[in-house]
Amino acid sequence: IIRHCMRNQALVLLLVNAALVLVQGLVHPLHPGATHKRPLSGTALRGGGDFSRKGAEESTAAAMLTLTNVFSVHRFIAGPFGVCLLGFPTALNKAMAMGRHLPPEEKFCLQNWGCFCLAVGYIAHAAQDFELKAQREVAKGMILCFACATGLYASTIASGELSPLYVRGSAATGAIFAGLLAAYSGALWFDTPQKSVRKTL
């Protein structure tokens, strides 16, 4: 196992970094307004009320696993990954499938994927400041994307159709998608309008 990890240092470092960023972001929110209330929606303003979070009072998990925190972490995963795919596809392919030549067609596909990853990273960055309703809609789109990706990776690897050179890298990428799916699903479950309390003036 140690020899295997040494041969794939870039892949191991990428996965470890993603895991550390995910854990650190959920335990220590990266966004200054992560624990603060979001701007009031039009409905709340018309009702003359104000919403404040009760997550910390209900449970530690609910207090940490907010959509703002998940967006804060996700931007640091999607952004750098997009840069690597777009700017360094050959090096990334070498880390994911050592010893395999990258055809120009596949290089083009990886760079194309990198463009979408950069867009997702920006969406996650901007969504930190969205109102809760808008954040939940963005999170639903992320869940749809990562659910499909996780299922696709799992079924493809299980089918045995992939070259052994691709299985390791595909499993690592699929694990990242599965982690993001779990994070967004958990945040969507905990971070709801019902978890807020209305204070009348």
Side-chain angles (χ1 to χ4, degrees):
I1 295 176
I2 295 177
R3 193 184 311 115
H4 172 76
C5 292
M6 291 298 294
R7 288 199 306 265
N8 299 274
Q9 293 181 30
L11 176 59
V12 172
L13 289 175
L14 178 65
L15 294 176
V16 171
N17 180 65
L20 289 176
V21 168
L22 182 62
V23 173
Q24 181 182 14
L26 294 178
V27 176
H28 303 290
L30 300 176
H31 190 262
T35 57
H36 297 165
K37 61 189 177 185
R38 295 182 178 85
L40 294 176
S41 63
T43 303
L45 289 173
R46 288 193 295 271
D50 182 25
F51 288 93
S52 61
R53 296 299 179 85
K54 295 195 306 180
E57 299 174 0
E58 294 182 1
S59 68
T60 303
M64 293 189 302
L65 196 58
T66 65
L67 289 171
T68 299
N69 288 351
V70 174
F71 285 130
S72 297
V73 175
H74 186 194
R75 58 179 175 161
F76 289 115
I77 297 176
F81 198 58
V83 171
C84 290
L85 285 168
L86 183 60
F88 312 98
T90 303
L92 187 61
N93 175 76
K94 184 177 179 181
M96 303 289 277
M98 185 174 293
R100 186 184 183 280
H101 172 69
L102 181 65
E105 296 82 3
E106 292 187 23
K107 179 180 179 181
F108 169 73
C109 290
L110 289 178
Q111 291 178 309
N112 186 33
W113 184 23
C115 296
F116 283 95
C117 287
L118 290 174
V120 171
Y122 177 76
I123 291 172
H125 173 74
Q128 298 173 98
D129 297 319
F130 290 175
E131 295 182 6
L132 179 57
K133 181 179 179 181
Q135 282 190 334
R136 289 179 60 81
E137 294 305 313
V138 174
K140 290 176 184 177
M142 296 290 190
I143 289 174
L144 174 62
C145 171
F146 294 129
C148 293
T150 301
L152 176 63
Y153 272 76
S155 61
T156 303
I157 293 173
S159 68
E161 297 177 352
L162 288 180
S163 165
L165 291 175
Y166 272 105
V167 172
R168 180 175 57 251
S170 298
T173 306
I176 294 176
F177 288 151
L180 289 169
L181 173 62
Y184 274 109
S185 299
L188 195 66
W189 173 266
F190 284 114
D191 207 4
T192 64
Q194 289 74 21
K195 300 289 175 65
S196 299
V197 60
R198 190 170 189 169
K199 296 181 179 179
T200 57
L201 298 176

